Amino acid sequence: MSMDMTTAGDTGLLDTLQHEVAVFARRAEQTRLGGVGQVRNSMDRAAYLLLNRLDKEGPMGVKALAASMGIDSSTVTRQVAPLVDSGLVKRTSHPEDGRAVVLQLSPRGVSRLHEVRSSRRELMAELTHDWTPEERESFCTLLTRFNGALSARMAAPGASGPESASAS
């Protein structure tokens, strides 16, 4: 589906946008947006997103977690394994069906997630210290909208490209 409705002026702006998004992605991955105490407070992107989702939505099975994040169950299984091994996530029996397994944050996982969030919050404050509250809000609104458009594109039938493990 081609949406090439750009004008010559738009082309330059879109070139700048795609370049800045690429630079942002590289820098975010290089630092893992680790926050102020970078080494101590960095966390793998997949781990952060999984822990964050479990914190916000509560205990759930692999299939439900995968669906809520828009990724494949096998990817969730692979990404959760080290979190279980490190004690950040625990597997428990489903309260209504003892045969089913649900994933939930362990107390250690809650503590670690809060530590990383706090450090990332501090980093965001540092990076945007000279922004107005309105600029921060506008940036959040536009970035949320951009991420939503990426997620919708990946969820569309026939979408191709790498799995969107980091999309949610």
Side-chain angles (χ1 to χ4, degrees), residues 145-160:
R145 184 174 170 190
F146 186 80
N147 282 331
L150 281 173
S151 292
R153 184 175 191 279
M154 292 305 298
S160 61

Side-chain angles (χ1 to χ4, degrees), residues 89-137:
V89 171
K90 60 184 180 176
R91 290 185 174 105
T92 60
S93 296
H94 191 283
E96 296 165 11
D97 179 1
R99 298 169 296 167
V101 173
V102 294
L103 301 168
Q104 69 179 60
L105 284 179
S106 68
R108 182 170 182 239
V110 170
S111 175
R112 181 76 176 109
L113 180 60
H114 289 182
E115 179 182 78
V116 170
R117 270 190 197 147
S118 175
S119 181
R120 287 180 176 199
R121 190 178 312 111
E122 199 174 329
L123 176 62
M124 293 301 112
E126 180 184 310
L127 294 175
T128 63
H129 77 278
D130 59 346
W131 295 20
T132 66
E134 294 79 17
E135 287 172 323
R136 285 179 176 172
E137 188 171 335

